[in-house]
Amino acid sequence: IYVGSDNVPTFDGEIWRPHEIPGSYAVRGLAVGRNGRLWAAAINEVGYFDRSPTGDLSQYHSLVPQLPPGTSLGDVWHVFTCGEGAVFVTSDSILTWNGRDFHIEHLPGARRLPAMKTGGRIFVGHRGSGLWSVDENGVHQILTADTVDHAGILWLEAASDGWLLLTTQGLAKFSAGKLVPFAPAAAAYIEQNIPTAACRLRNGNICVGTLGGLLVISLAGEVLQILTEKNGLPSHGVFSLFAAPDGAVWITSGLGVTRILLDGSATLFDEQEGLAGTPCHAIADDNGRLVVATDEGVFALPLAADPATKFAPVPELPLRYMDLLSTPEGLVAAGYRGAYRETKGQVIPLYSAKTDVLLAQASVTRPDSLFLTDNFELLRLSSGPDGIREQIKLAQLPDLALGLAE
């Protein structure tokens, strides 16, 4: 895995390794080319990494010295492989590197040039002049600005009778020299929330990302789903989309990278489903019911219940709990000022803490024992039907414990 950030971290399944691009930051684009060469686009930088003999990336090779004198890069937003070289797209220029020298096409007047690769072809949109394609032979105009009503083109794919486009005004089909609106029911939402990206899902539907949420649109142009922060997205602003072969959609936003499923196999449980409070601190399967701890208490959902059944509060556990543990004697809730056991509608205090108990875990070697952490103290409790028989302090930890393995 290659990631663009202030450098280029790589992940081989076990270890993350950073790779620097000297004199630059904010890596905007990456593309893997022939022989494993990794092309990189960053602020004031264009270049590549080769493969080292060990299989890792080599030191970075900058192509800036090969640019014509006086060339100013600024933000380089995209990079695509092209033959033996690459195409870099900045805020106002297309730079084609053929392995020997650069060809530069200036498209001024835009804050940013949207670019994409589909069907093996590279396209760049420019509100002032239309849509351009880029190949080893140069830059070629495909659509004029008048044809697309001077809208920005953010995504496109070939259709049986032309092209399907995502523009700043919504989705449209271009066929027989005419631009016809597609999915008019989504046009107002897309235009008002500023579109950013789109992708075709495995089932044929179209996913459109905006700064106000995510839309799923059917092949017939119907709006099937709108996702925002209120019903599943970690952030309402979607920066980019990737449709994975397994049917999942990967989303980048200001809060990071998110993987979601849009095929109905996942259900979001929030306040509308009876699960009040955020964040969710702990979750457990307690004798046929799913229990979740939030800042507003513990909530339970019968696992064998009708799909319409909602979460309901466990009235005996109304405080903030940081961990939940199902035991044969009942549900242990660890959190505010101690640990408690709830069973058959009654609560028994197991331990009184100085602050909060952050962790509760059953002992593997001693089934009648329970590990707890009280601030920096690690304790072992031996419990019976009527409460605690023995409390032993095992260690003074150097930091707060977030996990424990025996």
Side-chain angles (χ1 to χ4, degrees), residues 39-120:
W39 299 93
I43 291 182
N44 291 317
E45 260 300 340
V46 291
Y48 61 90
F49 297 89
D50 274 327
R51 285 282 187 179
S52 70
T54 62
D56 197 10
L57 296 182
S58 69
Q59 289 187 337
Y60 176 72
H61 302 277
S62 176
L63 292 176
V64 170
Q66 308 300 322
L67 290 167
T71 301
S72 176
L73 291 177
D75 286 307
V76 186
W77 290 98
H78 306 277
V79 60
F80 307 98
T81 60
C82 182
E84 296 295 331
V87 173
F88 301 90
V89 181
T90 73
S91 296
D92 59 4
S93 298
I94 303 170
L95 293 76
T96 305
W97 170 253
N98 60 14
R100 301 177 303 276
D101 49 35
F102 276 102
H103 171 79
I104 301 178
E105 183 79 24
H106 296 288
L107 297 173
R111 189 180 69 86
R112 176 178 173 182
L113 294 175
M116 63 228 75
K117 192 172 188 177
T118 179

Side-chain angles (χ1 to χ4, degrees), residues 145-273:
D146 289 339
T147 303
V148 294
D149 197 22
H150 293 269
I153 300 173
L154 306 172
W155 172 84
L156 78 163
E157 70 171 18
S160 57
D161 55 350
W163 294 91
L164 180 63
L165 313 174
L166 172 66
T167 76
T168 50
Q169 298 173 2
L171 287 163
K173 278 189 174 181
F174 179 77
S175 180
K178 295 182 180 181
L179 196 69
V180 179
F182 178 76
Y189 187 94
I190 292 174
E191 187 172 10
Q192 291 170 7
N193 289 279
I194 308 177
T196 55
C199 65
R200 176 75 70 173
L201 303 179
R202 186 175 61 175
N203 60 9
N205 294 332
I206 301 169
C207 194
V208 177
T210 75
L211 295 183
L214 189 74
L215 292 89
V216 180
I217 299 169
S218 73
L219 291 168
E222 300 172 324
V223 178
L224 302 177
Q225 196 173 7
I226 297 178
L227 291 177
T228 66
E229 283 181 307
K230 294 181 179 179
N231 60 350
L233 292 186
S235 171
H236 59 268
V238 175
F239 295 163
S240 63
L241 297 169
F242 171 72
D246 63 357
V249 177
W250 292 82
I251 302 170
T252 64
S253 69
L255 296 180
V257 181
T258 304
R259 178 183 181 273
I260 64 171
L261 290 170
L262 298 171
D263 59 2
S265 61
T267 302
L268 173 71
F269 291 96
D270 55 13
E271 192 166 359
Q272 294 182 357
E273 299 298 324

Side-chain angles (χ1 to χ4, degrees), residues 105-392:
E105 183 79 24
H106 296 288
L107 297 173
R111 189 180 69 86
R112 176 178 173 182
L113 294 175
M116 63 228 75
K117 192 172 188 177
T118 179
R121 300 175 64 186
I122 301 168
F123 297 92
V124 179
H126 180 235
R127 278 200 175 195
S129 57
L131 180 69
W132 300 78
S133 70
V134 187
D135 57 31
E136 295 175 273
N137 298 316
V139 179
H140 319 278
Q141 190 172 39
I142 302 297
L143 300 175
T144 67
D146 289 339
T147 303
V148 294
D149 197 22
H150 293 269
I153 300 173
L154 306 172
W155 172 84
L156 78 163
E157 70 171 18
S160 57
D161 55 350
W163 294 91
L164 180 63
L165 313 174
L166 172 66
T167 76
T168 50
Q169 298 173 2
L171 287 163
K173 278 189 174 181
F174 179 77
S175 180
K178 295 182 180 181
L179 196 69
V180 179
F182 178 76
Y189 187 94
I190 292 174
E191 187 172 10
Q192 291 170 7
N193 289 279
I194 308 177
T196 55
C199 65
R200 176 75 70 173
L201 303 179
R202 186 175 61 175
N203 60 9
N205 294 332
I206 301 169
C207 194
V208 177
T210 75
L211 295 183
L214 189 74
L215 292 89
V216 180
I217 299 169
S218 73
L219 291 168
E222 300 172 324
V223 178
L224 302 177
Q225 196 173 7
I226 297 178
L227 291 177
T228 66
E229 283 181 307
K230 294 181 179 179
N231 60 350
L233 292 186
S235 171
H236 59 268
V238 175
F239 295 163
S240 63
L241 297 169
F242 171 72
D246 63 357
V249 177
W250 292 82
I251 302 170
T252 64
S253 69
L255 296 180
V257 181
T258 304
R259 178 183 181 273
I260 64 171
L261 290 170
L262 298 171
D263 59 2
S265 61
T267 302
L268 173 71
F269 291 96
D270 55 13
E271 192 166 359
Q272 294 182 357
E273 299 298 324
L275 184 60
T278 56
C280 295
H281 298 294
I283 185 170
D285 180 353
D286 180 50
N287 298 317
R289 61 176 184 169
L290 187 70
V291 286
V292 179
T294 76
D295 274 356
E296 296 189 20
V298 176
F299 297 81
L301 176 72
L303 291 175
D306 183 272
T309 303
K310 298 184 178 183
F311 272 91
V314 178
E316 296 80 14
L317 298 171
L319 305 176
R320 186 181 72 163
Y321 304 95
M322 305 304 295
D323 205 2
L324 297 172
L325 176 67
S326 180
T327 71
E329 294 80 22
L331 177 67
V332 175
Y336 181 75
R337 297 290 178 126
Y340 314 86
R341 186 171 64 212
E342 181 269 340
T343 180
K344 297 180 180 179
Q346 295 184 339
V347 173
I348 299 174
L350 298 180
Y351 175 76
S352 179
K354 302 171 186 175
T355 53
D356 288 346
V357 176
L358 301 180
L359 184 147
Q361 184 167 314
S363 173
V364 176
T365 58
R366 299 180 60 173
D368 65 333
S369 295
L370 185 70
F371 293 110
L372 298 176
T373 59
D374 181 356
N375 203 12
F376 296 110
E377 293 183 357
L378 175 62
L379 305 147
R380 185 175 65 211
L381 281 64
S382 297
S383 60
D386 298 326
I388 300 301
R389 296 197 302 266
E390 184 181 35
Q391 299 180 18
I392 299 175

